[in-house]
Structures are given as structure tokens and as C-alpha cells.
Amino acid sequence: MSGTVRLAPGYRFQWEPAQDCHVLLYPEGMVKLNAPAAAILEHCDGSRDAAGILAALQARFPGVELADDVHRFLEVAHERGWLRTV
Amino acid sequence: MSVAGCAPSRPLWLLAELTYACPLQCPYCSNPLDYGQIKDELDTATWLRVLREARALGAAQLGLSGGEPATRPDLEVLVAEARRLGYYSNLITSGIGLDAERIGRLRAAGLDHIQVSFQASGAELNDHLAGTRAFQHKLDIARAVKAAGYPMVLCFVLHRDNIDDMDAVLALAAELQADYVELATAQYYGWAWVNRDRLMPSREQLARGEAVAHAWQARLQGRMKIYYVVPDYYETRPKACMNGWGSIFLTIAPDGTALPCHSARSLPGLSFPNVREHGIDWIWNESPGFNRFRGFEWMREPCRSCDEKERDFGGCRCQAYLLTGDASQADPVCDKSPHHGRVLAAIEAAASTPSEKPLIFRNPRNARTLSG
């Protein structure tokens, strides 16, 4: 995966106060996100590639080994159509 | 209030039926038979309050439907407020009342998604089923939706008269470069209930349709997503209707009646609250109508002791009422129901109904006759 990562067209990532969690909204559907998934998606704003996303997260959580989890999540999120790499 | 043993439910899905007005006359319309007598539509200010109150309870998906929602001149105002509040808004339209310019205005107001319905793959059958000349305009609108930057989402309602055209339907969708195509067999409520014997496809038609849909699915993989929804009369377990009564789904009818699903107002002996008199919080959490079939306490056998009740919630209350006369029965689609034979009888009755029998179109004249 090279290129910058962003949400696929038609997807929206937002905080839901009533549910006290982040969600991903798409046509007629919604996924509730756990905190790690939300932290990764927050960085998928089209300004970074996969390495940049990992670096930004690693800066926020120093000393934690994140690479495997982040790459696995990005892979699954692409498969599900949530993310695009352009 | 929460139901014992369950997490508190939230109206995550708000369906705003903005109007029963529609220029089309589809004989499978899900609107009530007496729609013509329900004239007092909510005004803009009340809809804005409904949007705010439902959002505060956690509503995130908003369906804007009808009738034809584009007949409401305040659609743009409602969409803009929905976006500001954080809804994901879906417009469910026949395309009539839209043009490229209005789609642009809706996009600017923050509309997230548009689904355009078609009746058939060609002008002749499409316009016969719609009861008006609409096909050419629908093609223009489908293209305009995509040109505005939305995915093109097409919905074809299938029944006996058009399911054999599945190949042409999907060829049309491919030619239009649709992104998503929903092939949904008509469900037998409202006007489709009246026309059930004429609309229900045979088992053979369904199997042929499914094979054609699968062939196109394989051919257009990665380019066009195709969803094929068969009618539940041919199943042996009921659908998890609305994910359970009063669980996630809130419909507001054009006159402000709040319903757990858009067919529920046909159920006798139940009264449903109106947003003109009550707030959404009370309606959702406290009103007797929304609590009537919530959870599992209302169930009778065979549902009560069934180990699948948490999967399908006993099926559809409206279907149970339509087929047994009692909304608290198991949905007769389930082959554990003592009334399952009525579903089989309905399939038999449809099979012996000639295609020459006229369809009853949804229009004011037929509404007066049927609800007289």
C-alpha cells in the first residue's frame, strides 16, 4: 500500500455522544468503533500514507509496538471498503 | 425505561416519511391504503424539532422518504439541518421532482446518499407500473446523481411481471454505470398486500432471477454491487423485522404519527403517539405503542420457548396480523408456526392467479374504494 490513505467516498467518521464512541457511517449503515480503530481512522484523512499513519500513532503512544496492529487494521478496512489509498 | 435483560434501545434509524404525495401509482406501494385521508402534513418547524430530538437520543441514520420526498419544497432545509446535527442522510426517491440543479442544491446542503427507484428496465413496462411517464426522467436523474459525485444506487422492486426481465434490468444498470443495485422482491404490505396474488413470483421465477443476478454479480465484481432480496414467503424462518420492535427503528409518518415500522399503523387495537403532542424521548421510551412488542415478554408459543427468538424476534408483527388476524402470533413465515400453512396457501393462490387479473394501482380513486 503506497499513497495517502483516506476514507472511501460516502463514508463518514464521527464521534457519537449518545453512544459514547466513534462510529463510521455509510449508506444505510453504521459501525461502532473501539478506541484503537478510532485512533487509526482519525489519521486516515488523506494527508498521510500508511507509514505516516503509523509514525503519527507511534508518536502518540511511544514505547508500544503498534506496527502489526495498524497494518492489519488498514488491510481489513481496505477490504471492507472503508478506506482508499490514492 | 429499558426492557429487563436488554441494553437500553436507541432509535438509531430515523425514517422520516415526509409526505404521502407521489406522482407515481406503483401497485406495491408500502403506504397505507387510506393515505388519501391523511392530509395534515407536518410543517418544517416540527420536522426540524423531530430531527433534533431523535438525534439527541442517538439517531444517526436518517431516511427521507414518502410518498415522494422531493415533492416537499423544504427538503433542502431539512437536509441542511440533518447535516448540521450529524445525521447520515439518505434520500429515497423515484427521481420525480428532482433535476440536476436540485441535486446540486441537496449536495451543497449536505445530503449524503441518494437511492433512485426504477419499476422496470424499459419505458413501456416501467411507465405502466408507475402509472405515469417517468422512465426517461429516471435515467436522467440516475446520471445526474452520479455526475454530482454520489455513488449511483438503483433500486428495482421485483414481482411477477418484471422478474423475468432481470437480465435487461442488470444490463441497464451496467450501462448506466451504477455502483449499487438493489433487486428487492416486493414485500406484501400496504398496496402490495392488496395485489399479493398478482405480484408474487413463482418459485421457478425466483430461481431463474437468482441465477441471472449471480451471473451478473460474478461478471461485474468490483464494479457494481448487486443485492438480491427474495420474498420471505419462500423462507422457513422469519426475517428479524426492524431488528425487533422498538429496538433501533423509528418511523415518523407524514402526519406526525410515530411508528415502530412504516406498516404498523395498520395494526388494530394499538394507538401510536404523535410528535405534535409528545416529545421523541417519551414516544420512544414510554409510549404504550412502542413498548407493546418490545423484548420477549409479549411472545406466545411457539416463540416464547424458541431458541431462535433472539435471532428473529418472532418475525414481523404486521405480517402476523395480516396472515392470522393477531399481531402477537409468530410470523407465519416460520415453519414452526401453526399458521405456516397460510403462507403456503398464499403461494398456491398466487400460482393460480392469471396474469390477466388487473393490478390495483395506488391512486386516490382506488384508495377511496379500498378504505371506504
Side-chain angles (χ1 to χ4, degrees):
Chain A
M1 276 189 272
S2 60
T4 60
V5 183
R6 60 169 171 78
L7 286 180
Y11 283 74
R12 198 197 304 157
F13 169 73
Q14 70 184 27
W15 173 254
E16 280 297 293
Q19 300 186 69
D20 200 29
C21 68
H22 279 92
V23 297
L24 198 57
L25 292 163
Y26 52 92
E28 302 185 12
M30 176 171 73
V31 180
K32 288 169 85 164
L33 300 163
N34 61 20
I40 299 169
L41 282 178
E42 227 169 85
H43 292 83
C44 301
D45 58 2
S47 71
R48 301 175 181 83
D49 61 10
I53 291 166
L54 178 60
L57 287 161
Q58 205 64 77
R60 211 164 109 187
F61 304 100
V64 187
E65 182 46 58
L66 296 174
D68 285 355
D69 287 347
V70 170
H71 284 129
R72 199 174 307 125
F73 177 85
L74 290 177
E75 203 176 301
V76 170
H78 276 86
E79 279 167 18
R80 293 190 184 171
W82 301 351
L83 294 175
R84 294 271 169 88
T85 295
V86 287
Chain B
M1 193 198 81
S2 65
V3 175
C6 298
S9 65
R10 294 182 182 288
L12 298 177
W13 236 112
L14 173 63
L15 179 68
E17 290 188 322
L18 298 178
T19 179
Y20 285 140
C22 183
L24 305 192
Q25 305 180 23
C26 306
Y28 46 75
C29 180
S30 63
N31 286 169
L33 299 176
D34 62 350
Y35 75 92
Q37 289 162 30
I38 305 164
K39 291 205 166 78
D40 197 10
E41 283 185 11
L42 295 182
D43 61 14
T44 309
T46 309
W47 274 119
L48 294 175
R49 175 171 63 78
V50 166
L51 292 180
R52 279 194 302 274
E53 291 182 3
R55 180 74 187 125
L57 287 181
Q61 285 286 344
L62 172 66
L64 298 160
S65 86
E68 173 46 63
T71 62
R72 289 277 306 210
D74 58 357
L75 186 57
E76 289 84 338
V77 176
L78 302 179
V79 162
E81 179 67 359
R83 182 68 189 86
R84 197 187 66 74
L85 290 166
Y87 279 102
Y88 194 96
S89 55
N90 305 273
L91 179 65
I92 300 152
T93 179
S94 68
I96 311 298
L98 294 179
D99 56 22
E101 195 191 326
R102 195 166 190 209
I103 291 168
R105 287 205 303 275
L106 289 165
R107 175 103 182 154
L111 182 69
D112 289 292
H113 181 237
I114 304 182
Q115 178 192 294
V116 183
S117 67
F118 276 75
Q119 282 70 34
S121 62
E124 194 180 338
L125 183 56
N126 188 92
D127 295 353
H128 168 65
L129 291 165
T132 181
R133 287 180 62 179
F135 185 71
Q136 192 54 49
H137 183 69
K138 284 169 179 284
L139 295 179
D140 294 342
I141 291 305
R143 293 190 183 102
V145 163
K146 187 140 179 161
Y150 289 107
M152 190 197 291
V153 184
L154 308 181
C155 176
F156 290 84
V157 175
L158 299 179
H159 45 81
R160 192 206 287 193
D161 289 2
N162 69 1
I163 193 167
D164 293 329
D165 295 335
M166 182 84 88
D167 202 51
V169 161
L170 288 166
L172 171 69
E175 188 200 319
L176 287 166
Q177 296 183 297
D179 298 282
Y180 300 88
V181 182
E182 189 177 318
L183 305 163
T185 316
Q187 303 214 47
Y188 308 111
Y189 306 97
W191 293 79
W193 171 258
V194 174
N195 287 303
R196 187 186 67 190
D197 290 349
R198 265 294 275 110
L199 292 173
M200 197 184 305
S202 69
R203 212 177 276 277
E204 293 71 32
Q205 281 186 303
L206 279 172
R208 282 200 302 271
E210 196 162 11
V212 172
H214 284 163
W216 279 92
Q217 273 168 340
R219 207 164 125 195
L220 294 178
Q221 198 164 22
R223 277 186 287 161
M224 185 168 95
K225 274 198 179 148
I226 301 169
Y227 302 95
Y228 184 59
V229 187
V230 301
D232 58 355
Y233 275 50
Y234 285 99
E235 306 282 355
T236 52
R237 286 291 178 274
K239 57 185 178 265
C241 195
M242 301 294 139
N243 202 44
W245 182 275
S247 163
I248 58 168
F249 202 83
L250 169 64
T251 296
I252 308 297
D255 63 345
T257 305
L259 300 164
C261 81
H262 49 278
S263 296
R265 72 191 301 156
S266 66
L267 297 175
L270 284 177
S271 76
F272 291 105
N274 193 295
V275 298
R276 294 181 214 259
E277 284 130 38
H278 298 281
I280 301 291
D281 193 341
W282 184 87
I283 286 171
W284 182 260
N285 290 306
E286 307 295 336
S287 73
F290 276 77
N291 281 306
R292 178 65 183 85
F293 297 113
R294 204 170 242 160
F296 304 99
E297 282 306 301
W298 59 272
M299 284 181 172
R300 308 160 57 159
E301 294 298 350
C303 294
R304 181 172 275 273
S305 61
C306 182
D307 62 2
E308 295 174 77
K309 68 182 174 189
E310 292 180 34
R311 192 184 312 158
D312 58 38
F313 313 102
C316 172
R317 297 305 88 226
C318 302
Q319 194 146 278
Y321 166 67
L322 286 168
L323 287 164
T324 74
D326 178 353
S328 66
Q329 293 282 354
D331 185 334
V333 160
C334 186
D335 67 7
K336 297 180 186 177
S337 157
H339 302 100
H340 184 62
R342 297 187 190 186
V343 171
L344 302 177
I347 293 171
E348 286 298 308
S352 62
T353 300
S355 293
E356 291 73 38
K357 185 182 170 189
L359 288 163
I360 298 168
F361 287 88
R362 176 211 128 119
N363 59 40
R365 187 167 42 84
N366 288 333
R368 275 193 300 276
T369 311
L370 288 168
S371 57

